[in-house]
Amino acid sequence: MIGSSVVSLLVFVIFSVTKKFLNSTYEYAGKLKIYITKLKEDIDIAPMEYNLYRRFSREEISLAEILHQCGIELKLEGADKIIFSPGALKALVLANNSDCTILKNRELLIKNYNTMIYYNERFYITFEDEFSEAILEYRSIKPSERQ
């Protein structure tokens, strides 16, 4: 009798904690400035901005999807495995599930590792082809951009 009540209490606690983490209360707050600095193809791409604040869902988004929504139809190897999600204190969570080389503040972000990106921080990406490069910067949004 006591064992079954302990098991049901344990199941309730695990379910509550799991539900809390799955339903993140964090929302996207800023924007990404994207600079494609080097490509195998000899193409010049103008700097872009992607407004994360306008994403009303709290779902993850890949770098490949962001580039596609910006009108960049290039196949940058590994971009589909670089995942962004909203974090605490208006930060951006960057998950590197690719073989790309990502540098943030002179620190290497290894595969299957997450880091927090705060306003005005830059990170550098060398894609899996070991030639294509990009610089991304997380910026705050001006009040006029929130409308």
Side-chain angles (χ1 to χ4, degrees), residues 7 25 30 40 43 47 58 65 72 84 87 112 132 134 138 142:
V7 169
T25 57
K40 276 189 175 180
I43 303 171
R58 297 177 180 145
E65 186 177 340
I72 304 300
F84 299 99
N112 298 323
S132 303
Y138 185 51
K142 298 174 189 170

Side-chain angles (χ1 to χ4, degrees), residues 13-141:
V13 169
I14 290 171
F15 176 76
S16 299
V17 169
T18 305
K19 185 176 178 184
K20 179 180 177 183
F21 285 110
L22 289 177
N23 295 331
S24 174
T25 57
Y26 305 126
E27 295 179 354
Y28 289 106
K31 63 184 174 184
L32 280 176
K33 294 187 100 177
I34 305 166
Y35 307 92
I36 307 290
T37 56
K38 197 178 193 185
L39 291 170
K40 276 189 175 180
E41 302 84 6
D42 194 20
I43 303 171
D44 288 333
I45 298 178
M48 300 163 279
E49 284 188 2
Y50 185 78
N51 193 339
L52 291 162
Y53 177 76
R54 295 203 180 262
R55 285 188 59 85
F56 297 109
S57 66
R58 297 177 180 145
E59 299 172 358
E60 297 176 336
I61 185 170
S62 71
L63 179 57
E65 186 177 340
I66 290 172
L67 293 173
H68 175 72
Q69 290 181 13
C70 288
I72 304 300
E73 299 300 327
L74 297 171
K75 176 69 175 141
L76 296 171
E77 296 176 43
D80 58 331
K81 297 175 191 163
I82 298 172
I83 308 297
F84 299 99
S85 58
L89 302 173
K90 299 182 180 179
L92 190 61
V93 179
L94 168 63
N96 181 19
N97 302 320
S98 71
D99 289 323
C100 296
T101 302
I102 302 178
L103 290 173
K104 176 193 160 202
N105 298 332
R106 297 184 181 186
E107 292 181 14
L108 182 64
L109 179 61
I110 59 175
K111 185 175 183 176
N112 298 323
Y113 186 76
N114 298 347
T115 189
M116 302 289 275
I117 308 290
Y118 296 97
Y119 287 148
N120 301 318
E121 285 189 325
R122 279 188 176 183
F123 50 101
Y124 302 84
I125 302 172
T126 301
F127 293 96
E128 291 177 3
D129 64 6
E130 297 181 359
F131 188 84
S132 303
E133 295 178 351
I135 300 171
L136 281 75
E137 186 175 359
Y138 185 51
R139 302 295 297 242
S140 64
I141 292 186

